[in-house]
């Protein structure tokens, strides 16, 4: 099934099925050097080598149990942005074989990844909502409204359904983007010797 919706001259697609390699490539390109990624794996070469396999865990999970939005670059035909949402209005299992896959991928960073997971889980709301796990835009396509378009695409659905949204932001610039889209920032989660992570909540517009 392929649905398209034009917003701000960007075509946003809800694709099922989708090639997880394409999703992973965008996530790794956009997020491998973020504040939390650097905290997890300080060595840049190790981080960039491990990032694709790390993000594959979540891309596979989103394709099975979530909703994947993507934008396609009209010039090269590749994905330029992706958003991974999980509808937490029902029970969703954890990623398949998560602990084993995480140990294989994270290596020496495994303990820190577990610390991150525990910190995020402790602050995650328990009321029904949709969770934006990742929003990523290829570095060469940023600042073109792609992220805003993908947010608007899903927010319109949430507003019609009367459902809130939740995410965590670890980048001040992205935090400003989410504030502009109706999110309210909660007190930051402080990682041990690491960057702040801001939980953010959006009530539906009525």
């Amino acid at each position: 099934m392929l649905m398209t919706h034009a917003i701000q001259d960007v075509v946003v697609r809800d694709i099922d099925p989708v090639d997880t390699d394409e999703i992973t490539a965008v996530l790794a390109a956009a997020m491998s050097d973020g504040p939390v990624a650097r905290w997890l794996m300080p060595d840049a070469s190790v981080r960039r080598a491990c990032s694709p396999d790390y993000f594959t865990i979540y891309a596979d999970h989103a394709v099975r149990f979530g909703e994947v939005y993507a934008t396609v670059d009209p010039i090269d035909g590749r994905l330029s942005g992706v958003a991974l949402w999980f509808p937490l209005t029902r029970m969703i299992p954890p990623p398949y074989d998560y602990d084993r896959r995480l140990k294989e991928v994270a290596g020496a960073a495994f303990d820190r990844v577990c610390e991150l997971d525990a910190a995020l889980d402790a602050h995650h709301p328990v009321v029904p909502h949709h969770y934006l796990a990742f929003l990523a835009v290829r570095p060469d396509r940023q600042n073109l409204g792609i992220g805003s378009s993908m947010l608007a695409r899903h927010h319109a659905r949430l507003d019609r359904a009367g459902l809130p949204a939740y995410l965590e932001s670890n980048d001040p610039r992205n935090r400003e983007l989410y504030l502009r889209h109706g999110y309210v920032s909660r007190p930051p989660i402080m990682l041990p010797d690491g960057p702040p992570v801001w939980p953010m909540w959006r009530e539906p517009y009525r």
Side-chain angles (χ1 to χ4, degrees):
M1 179 180 180
L2 173 64
M3 297 164 49
T4 64
H5 189 68
I7 302 177
Q8 298 178 359
D9 298 324
V10 176
V11 176
V12 182
R13 297 180 174 178
D14 179 6
I15 306 174
D16 181 20
V18 68
D19 184 351
T20 55
D21 289 342
E22 289 188 272
I23 300 172
T24 298
V26 175
L27 291 172
M31 307 185 77
S32 292
D33 290 324
V36 168
R38 294 196 302 270
W39 175 76
L40 291 172
M41 295 182 178
D43 187 299
S45 61
V46 173
R47 184 171 66 248
R48 290 167 188 162
C50 294
S51 287
D53 289 335
Y54 176 77
F55 288 117
T56 293
I57 296 173
Y58 298 97
D60 289 345
H61 191 50
V63 168
R64 294 184 65 195
F65 296 104
E67 299 181 21
V68 178
Y69 290 83
T71 60
V72 179
D73 192 296
I75 297 175
D76 60 22
R78 296 160 51 210
L79 296 189
S80 54
V82 295
L84 275 55
W85 287 92
F86 289 94
L88 300 184
T89 54
R90 53 185 170 82
M91 290 296 296
I92 291 178
Y96 172 73
D97 209 5
Y98 181 65
D99 288 344
R100 181 192 62 79
R101 296 172 73 187
L102 191 60
K103 286 179 181 178
E104 291 180 354
V105 169
F110 178 72
D111 288 343
R112 280 202 164 179
V113 176
C114 291
E115 283 185 274
L116 174 64
D117 286 351
L120 298 186
D121 287 346
H123 289 80
H124 203 114
V126 296
V127 298
H129 65 281
H130 279 211
Y131 173 51
L132 178 58
F134 295 106
L135 176 71
V137 178
R138 268 173 29 199
D140 64 316
R141 302 298 291 162
Q142 292 177 4
N143 302 313
L144 298 175
I146 292 173
S148 288
S149 296
M150 288 190 291
L151 287 172
R153 173 71 169 81
H154 198 69
H155 289 166
R157 288 180 54 197
L158 296 181
D159 291 344
R160 289 193 297 269
L163 286 170
Y166 177 76
L167 58 85
E168 301 104 358
S169 176
N170 68 88
D171 186 302
R173 187 180 66 170
N174 292 343
R175 180 170 171 263
E176 292 299 318
L177 168 68
Y178 299 131
L179 290 171
R180 293 197 300 272
H181 281 267
Y183 286 84
V184 175
S185 184
R186 296 177 172 179
I189 301 167
M190 301 306 298
L191 300 173
D193 300 317
V197 178
W198 289 277
M200 305 190 74
W201 181 260
R202 179 185 183 273
E203 290 288 345
Y205 290 161
R206 302 188 183 279

